[in-house]
Amino acid sequence: QVQLQESGPGLVRASETLSLTCSVSGDSMRSYYWGWIRQPPGKGLEWIGYIYYSGSTNYNPSLKSRVTISIDTSKKQYSLKLNSVTAADTAVYYCARDRGNWGLDHWGHGTLVTVSS
Amino acid sequence: QPVLTQPPSASGTPGQRVAISCSGSSSNIGSNTVNWYQQLPGTAPKLLIYDTNQRPSGVPDRFSASKSGTSASLAISGLQSEDEADYYCAAWNDGLDGPVFGGGTKLTVL
């Protein structure tokens, strides 16, 4: 059973860079897409982007100018960087295995990132 | 604003059948499959339905879903107190080449 776990700072200063890592266990990263989704407090889900195991990426246009997702299959990890953060980026950030049309079938527990002014 | 439209709330009593709607467009629901997620309080979302009407292993058959045109629906029969959660629909969006979500429906079991 594949498991995902987010890690990274829970507090980031405004205008700085949010950095999170997702560690994958229980299955190979090969042949899958790996995504990031966020949820502001009390609000709905927003797709951030995904990366294929080979390294190709796709991002939500609303965040594209500030987002970078990278992958290290040897460590079974992938990472999210979001720069120039503001209070609007305060959210629970989830990593999840993305099966495209078949949905996000395995999720991490999520990590709350608060942007301080 | 969410791309897919869901009612913000729904409710029912134990044993009842409840349906939650999800409306989209030809770029998402109209041309792709629909997935549904259940988010229990304080937890991560869980894939409840994929490929419009398929249940992952372990999901009770009380949960069913369907799609017609640019709209989809999730039905829960034999409602139980543990079904109280937020439910999100999602679909791949062709222009985005990524998933779009509904705003979520908070289900209350009275």
Side-chain angles (χ1 to χ4, degrees), chain A residues 101, chain B residues 33-36 48-56 63-67 72-74:
Chain A
N101 246 324
Chain B
T33 62
V34 181
N35 306 303
W36 290 89
L48 189 68
I49 297 285
Y50 70 97
D51 195 15
T52 300
N53 55 17
Q54 302 299 304
R55 289 185 306 276
F63 294 91
S64 62
S66 61
K67 182 183 93 165
S73 181
L74 171 71

PDB file of all heavy atoms in Angstrom, chain A residues 101, chain B residues 33-36 48-56 63-67 72-74:
ATOM      1  N   ASN A 101      -7.221  10.900 -15.075  1.00  0.00           N
ATOM      2  CA  ASN A 101      -8.668  10.740 -15.149  1.00  0.00           C
ATOM      3  C   ASN A 101      -9.224   9.868 -14.023  1.00  0.00           C
ATOM      4  O   ASN A 101     -10.399   9.961 -13.690  1.00  0.00           O
ATOM      5  CB  ASN A 101      -9.060  10.109 -16.489  1.00  0.00           C
ATOM      6  CG  ASN A 101      -9.858  11.068 -17.354  1.00  0.00           C
ATOM      7  OD1 ASN A 101     -10.656  11.849 -16.848  1.00  0.00           O
ATOM      8  ND2 ASN A 101      -9.640  11.017 -18.636  1.00  0.00           N
TER       9      ASN A 101
ATOM     10  N   THR B  33     -13.939  11.719 -17.128  1.00  0.00           N
ATOM     11  CA  THR B  33     -14.607  11.033 -16.028  1.00  0.00           C
ATOM     12  C   THR B  33     -14.626  11.921 -14.787  1.00  0.00           C
ATOM     13  O   THR B  33     -13.895  12.906 -14.697  1.00  0.00           O
ATOM     14  CB  THR B  33     -13.897   9.715 -15.687  1.00  0.00           C
ATOM     15  OG1 THR B  33     -12.551  10.006 -15.264  1.00  0.00           O
ATOM     16  CG2 THR B  33     -13.843   8.803 -16.903  1.00  0.00           C
ATOM     17  N   VAL B  34     -15.491  11.559 -13.857  1.00  0.00           N
ATOM     18  CA  VAL B  34     -15.654  12.331 -12.624  1.00  0.00           C
ATOM     19  C   VAL B  34     -15.172  11.494 -11.439  1.00  0.00           C
ATOM     20  O   VAL B  34     -15.371  10.276 -11.394  1.00  0.00           O
ATOM     21  CB  VAL B  34     -17.134  12.719 -12.420  1.00  0.00           C
ATOM     22  CG1 VAL B  34     -17.298  13.538 -11.136  1.00  0.00           C
ATOM     23  CG2 VAL B  34     -17.634  13.525 -13.622  1.00  0.00           C
ATOM     24  N   ASN B  35     -14.521  12.161 -10.519  1.00  0.00           N
ATOM     25  CA  ASN B  35     -14.077  11.507  -9.293  1.00  0.00           C
ATOM     26  C   ASN B  35     -14.689  12.234  -8.092  1.00  0.00           C
ATOM     27  O   ASN B  35     -14.939  13.433  -8.152  1.00  0.00           O
ATOM     28  CB  ASN B  35     -12.551  11.544  -9.196  1.00  0.00           C
ATOM     29  CG  ASN B  35     -11.891  10.965 -10.431  1.00  0.00           C
ATOM     30  OD1 ASN B  35     -12.140   9.825 -10.810  1.00  0.00           O
ATOM     31  ND2 ASN B  35     -11.033  11.749 -11.086  1.00  0.00           N
ATOM     32  N   TRP B  36     -14.931  11.483  -7.049  1.00  0.00           N
ATOM     33  CA  TRP B  36     -15.499  12.057  -5.832  1.00  0.00           C
ATOM     34  C   TRP B  36     -14.571  11.738  -4.659  1.00  0.00           C
ATOM     35  O   TRP B  36     -14.017  10.639  -4.562  1.00  0.00           O
ATOM     36  CB  TRP B  36     -16.874  11.474  -5.552  1.00  0.00           C
ATOM     37  CG  TRP B  36     -17.929  11.905  -6.523  1.00  0.00           C
ATOM     38  CD1 TRP B  36     -18.263  11.302  -7.708  1.00  0.00           C
ATOM     39  CD2 TRP B  36     -18.815  13.023  -6.383  1.00  0.00           C
ATOM     40  NE1 TRP B  36     -19.285  11.992  -8.321  1.00  0.00           N
ATOM     41  CE2 TRP B  36     -19.643  13.050  -7.521  1.00  0.00           C
ATOM     42  CE3 TRP B  36     -18.979  14.008  -5.409  1.00  0.00           C
ATOM     43  CZ2 TRP B  36     -20.631  14.023  -7.721  1.00  0.00           C
ATOM     44  CZ3 TRP B  36     -19.952  14.982  -5.587  1.00  0.00           C
ATOM     45  CH2 TRP B  36     -20.767  14.984  -6.736  1.00  0.00           C
ATOM     46  N   LEU B  48     -13.256   8.409  -3.169  1.00  0.00           N
ATOM     47  CA  LEU B  48     -14.471   7.663  -2.877  1.00  0.00           C
ATOM     48  C   LEU B  48     -15.030   6.976  -4.128  1.00  0.00           C
ATOM     49  O   LEU B  48     -15.501   5.841  -4.065  1.00  0.00           O
ATOM     50  CB  LEU B  48     -15.526   8.631  -2.314  1.00  0.00           C
ATOM     51  CG  LEU B  48     -16.803   8.064  -1.738  1.00  0.00           C
ATOM     52  CD1 LEU B  48     -16.500   7.293  -0.453  1.00  0.00           C
ATOM     53  CD2 LEU B  48     -17.794   9.189  -1.477  1.00  0.00           C
ATOM     54  N   ILE B  49     -14.992   7.687  -5.242  1.00  0.00           N
ATOM     55  CA  ILE B  49     -15.462   7.198  -6.528  1.00  0.00           C
ATOM     56  C   ILE B  49     -14.462   7.666  -7.590  1.00  0.00           C
ATOM     57  O   ILE B  49     -14.051   8.828  -7.585  1.00  0.00           O
ATOM     58  CB  ILE B  49     -16.848   7.762  -6.897  1.00  0.00           C
ATOM     59  CG1 ILE B  49     -17.921   7.319  -5.892  1.00  0.00           C
ATOM     60  CG2 ILE B  49     -17.235   7.375  -8.334  1.00  0.00           C
ATOM     61  CD1 ILE B  49     -18.371   5.875  -6.023  1.00  0.00           C
ATOM     62  N   TYR B  50     -14.084   6.771  -8.496  1.00  0.00           N
ATOM     63  CA  TYR B  50     -13.232   7.168  -9.606  1.00  0.00           C
ATOM     64  C   TYR B  50     -13.841   6.686 -10.910  1.00  0.00           C
ATOM     65  O   TYR B  50     -14.727   5.824 -10.918  1.00  0.00           O
ATOM     66  CB  TYR B  50     -11.798   6.637  -9.435  1.00  0.00           C
ATOM     67  CG  TYR B  50     -11.674   5.136  -9.595  1.00  0.00           C
ATOM     68  CD1 TYR B  50     -11.291   4.563 -10.807  1.00  0.00           C
ATOM     69  CD2 TYR B  50     -11.943   4.281  -8.520  1.00  0.00           C
ATOM     70  CE1 TYR B  50     -11.182   3.190 -10.946  1.00  0.00           C
ATOM     71  CE2 TYR B  50     -11.840   2.907  -8.654  1.00  0.00           C
ATOM     72  CZ  TYR B  50     -11.461   2.371  -9.875  1.00  0.00           C
ATOM     73  OH  TYR B  50     -11.360   1.000 -10.001  1.00  0.00           O
ATOM     74  N   ASP B  51     -13.386   7.256 -11.998  1.00  0.00           N
ATOM     75  CA  ASP B  51     -13.882   6.849 -13.314  1.00  0.00           C
ATOM     76  C   ASP B  51     -15.417   6.909 -13.356  1.00  0.00           C
ATOM     77  O   ASP B  51     -16.066   5.988 -13.847  1.00  0.00           O
ATOM     78  CB  ASP B  51     -13.373   5.442 -13.637  1.00  0.00           C
ATOM     79  CG  ASP B  51     -13.535   5.082 -15.112  1.00  0.00           C
ATOM     80  OD1 ASP B  51     -13.769   6.003 -15.931  1.00  0.00           O
ATOM     81  OD2 ASP B  51     -13.454   3.888 -15.441  1.00  0.00           O
ATOM     82  N   THR B  52     -15.943   7.976 -12.771  1.00  0.00           N
ATOM     83  CA  THR B  52     -17.369   8.322 -12.758  1.00  0.00           C
ATOM     84  C   THR B  52     -18.215   7.461 -11.826  1.00  0.00           C
ATOM     85  O   THR B  52     -19.071   7.990 -11.109  1.00  0.00           O
ATOM     86  CB  THR B  52     -17.977   8.282 -14.187  1.00  0.00           C
ATOM     87  OG1 THR B  52     -17.262   9.225 -15.007  1.00  0.00           O
ATOM     88  CG2 THR B  52     -19.454   8.630 -14.169  1.00  0.00           C
ATOM     89  N   ASN B  53     -18.003   6.130 -11.827  1.00  0.00           N
ATOM     90  CA  ASN B  53     -18.905   5.286 -11.040  1.00  0.00           C
ATOM     91  C   ASN B  53     -18.228   4.060 -10.434  1.00  0.00           C
ATOM     92  O   ASN B  53     -18.903   3.101 -10.070  1.00  0.00           O
ATOM     93  CB  ASN B  53     -20.084   4.843 -11.904  1.00  0.00           C
ATOM     94  CG  ASN B  53     -19.643   4.146 -13.187  1.00  0.00           C
ATOM     95  OD1 ASN B  53     -18.499   3.705 -13.305  1.00  0.00           O
ATOM     96  ND2 ASN B  53     -20.533   4.049 -14.150  1.00  0.00           N
ATOM     97  N   GLN B  54     -16.905   4.094 -10.327  1.00  0.00           N
ATOM     98  CA  GLN B  54     -16.174   2.960  -9.771  1.00  0.00           C
ATOM     99  C   GLN B  54     -15.770   3.226  -8.319  1.00  0.00           C
ATOM    100  O   GLN B  54     -15.311   4.310  -7.989  1.00  0.00           O
ATOM    101  CB  GLN B  54     -14.929   2.676 -10.611  1.00  0.00           C
ATOM    102  CG  GLN B  54     -15.236   2.381 -12.066  1.00  0.00           C
ATOM    103  CD  GLN B  54     -16.117   1.156 -12.228  1.00  0.00           C
ATOM    104  OE1 GLN B  54     -15.783   0.068 -11.766  1.00  0.00           O
ATOM    105  NE2 GLN B  54     -17.263   1.332 -12.900  1.00  0.00           N
ATOM    106  N   ARG B  55     -15.938   2.221  -7.484  1.00  0.00           N
ATOM    107  CA  ARG B  55     -15.551   2.348  -6.076  1.00  0.00           C
ATOM    108  C   ARG B  55     -14.212   1.671  -5.830  1.00  0.00           C
ATOM    109  O   ARG B  55     -14.031   0.501  -6.181  1.00  0.00           O
ATOM    110  CB  ARG B  55     -16.606   1.689  -5.176  1.00  0.00           C
ATOM    111  CG  ARG B  55     -17.923   2.417  -5.073  1.00  0.00           C
ATOM    112  CD  ARG B  55     -18.841   1.712  -4.052  1.00  0.00           C
ATOM    113  NE  ARG B  55     -19.001   0.309  -4.368  1.00  0.00           N
ATOM    114  CZ  ARG B  55     -19.877  -0.160  -5.231  1.00  0.00           C
ATOM    115  NH1 ARG B  55     -20.685   0.683  -5.862  1.00  0.00           N
ATOM    116  NH2 ARG B  55     -19.967  -1.460  -5.456  1.00  0.00           N
ATOM    117  N   PRO B  56     -13.268   2.385  -5.228  1.00  0.00           N
ATOM    118  CA  PRO B  56     -12.018   1.728  -4.822  1.00  0.00           C
ATOM    119  C   PRO B  56     -12.314   0.633  -3.806  1.00  0.00           C
ATOM    120  O   PRO B  56     -13.362   0.648  -3.142  1.00  0.00           O
ATOM    121  CB  PRO B  56     -11.210   2.864  -4.179  1.00  0.00           C
ATOM    122  CG  PRO B  56     -11.812   4.118  -4.709  1.00  0.00           C
ATOM    123  CD  PRO B  56     -13.257   3.817  -4.913  1.00  0.00           C
ATOM    124  N   PHE B  63     -22.380   3.811  -1.571  1.00  0.00           N
ATOM    125  CA  PHE B  63     -21.956   4.987  -2.336  1.00  0.00           C
ATOM    126  C   PHE B  63     -22.008   4.643  -3.828  1.00  0.00           C
ATOM    127  O   PHE B  63     -21.421   3.662  -4.271  1.00  0.00           O
ATOM    128  CB  PHE B  63     -20.534   5.410  -1.961  1.00  0.00           C
ATOM    129  CG  PHE B  63     -20.407   5.903  -0.540  1.00  0.00           C
ATOM    130  CD1 PHE B  63     -20.094   5.022   0.486  1.00  0.00           C
ATOM    131  CD2 PHE B  63     -20.588   7.239  -0.239  1.00  0.00           C
ATOM    132  CE1 PHE B  63     -19.984   5.475   1.805  1.00  0.00           C
ATOM    133  CE2 PHE B  63     -20.475   7.700   1.067  1.00  0.00           C
ATOM    134  CZ  PHE B  63     -20.178   6.812   2.090  1.00  0.00           C
ATOM    135  N   SER B  64     -22.697   5.473  -4.582  1.00  0.00           N
ATOM    136  CA  SER B  64     -22.774   5.283  -6.021  1.00  0.00           C
ATOM    137  C   SER B  64     -22.752   6.643  -6.685  1.00  0.00           C
ATOM    138  O   SER B  64     -22.990   7.671  -6.044  1.00  0.00           O
ATOM    139  CB  SER B  64     -24.035   4.512  -6.417  1.00  0.00           C
ATOM    140  OG  SER B  64     -25.190   5.251  -6.053  1.00  0.00           O
ATOM    141  N   ALA B  65     -22.432   6.653  -7.971  1.00  0.00           N
ATOM    142  CA  ALA B  65     -22.329   7.931  -8.678  1.00  0.00           C
ATOM    143  C   ALA B  65     -22.651   7.731 -10.149  1.00  0.00           C
ATOM    144  O   ALA B  65     -22.563   6.614 -10.674  1.00  0.00           O
ATOM    145  CB  ALA B  65     -20.935   8.529  -8.513  1.00  0.00           C
ATOM    146  N   SER B  66     -23.008   8.834 -10.791  1.00  0.00           N
ATOM    147  CA  SER B  66     -23.352   8.788 -12.204  1.00  0.00           C
ATOM    148  C   SER B  66     -23.032  10.137 -12.837  1.00  0.00           C
ATOM    149  O   SER B  66     -22.707  11.105 -12.141  1.00  0.00           O
ATOM    150  CB  SER B  66     -24.832   8.449 -12.376  1.00  0.00           C
ATOM    151  OG  SER B  66     -25.622   9.462 -11.765  1.00  0.00           O
ATOM    152  N   LYS B  67     -23.135  10.149 -14.153  1.00  0.00           N
ATOM    153  CA  LYS B  67     -22.854  11.381 -14.908  1.00  0.00           C
ATOM    154  C   LYS B  67     -23.808  11.460 -16.079  1.00  0.00           C
ATOM    155  O   LYS B  67     -24.147  10.442 -16.692  1.00  0.00           O
ATOM    156  CB  LYS B  67     -21.406  11.354 -15.405  1.00  0.00           C
ATOM    157  CG  LYS B  67     -20.980  12.602 -16.162  1.00  0.00           C
ATOM    158  CD  LYS B  67     -19.559  12.462 -16.686  1.00  0.00           C
ATOM    159  CE  LYS B  67     -19.525  11.926 -18.092  1.00  0.00           C
ATOM    160  NZ  LYS B  67     -18.211  12.116 -18.745  1.00  0.00           N
ATOM    161  N   ALA B  72     -22.858  15.699 -12.799  1.00  0.00           N
ATOM    162  CA  ALA B  72     -22.636  14.408 -12.152  1.00  0.00           C
ATOM    163  C   ALA B  72     -23.349  14.419 -10.809  1.00  0.00           C
ATOM    164  O   ALA B  72     -23.740  15.484 -10.298  1.00  0.00           O
ATOM    165  CB  ALA B  72     -21.144  14.158 -11.960  1.00  0.00           C
ATOM    166  N   SER B  73     -23.492  13.234 -10.247  1.00  0.00           N
ATOM    167  CA  SER B  73     -24.207  13.119  -8.988  1.00  0.00           C
ATOM    168  C   SER B  73     -23.615  11.978  -8.162  1.00  0.00           C
ATOM    169  O   SER B  73     -23.271  10.927  -8.708  1.00  0.00           O
ATOM    170  CB  SER B  73     -25.691  12.859  -9.255  1.00  0.00           C
ATOM    171  OG  SER B  73     -26.399  12.758  -8.054  1.00  0.00           O
ATOM    172  N   LEU B  74     -23.501  12.231  -6.869  1.00  0.00           N
ATOM    173  CA  LEU B  74     -23.084  11.210  -5.911  1.00  0.00           C
ATOM    174  C   LEU B  74     -24.296  10.881  -5.054  1.00  0.00           C
ATOM    175  O   LEU B  74     -24.973  11.783  -4.555  1.00  0.00           O
ATOM    176  CB  LEU B  74     -21.961  11.743  -5.023  1.00  0.00           C
ATOM    177  CG  LEU B  74     -21.554  10.867  -3.833  1.00  0.00           C
ATOM    178  CD1 LEU B  74     -20.809   9.620  -4.304  1.00  0.00           C
ATOM    179  CD2 LEU B  74     -20.692  11.658  -2.842  1.00  0.00           C
TER     180      LEU B  74
END
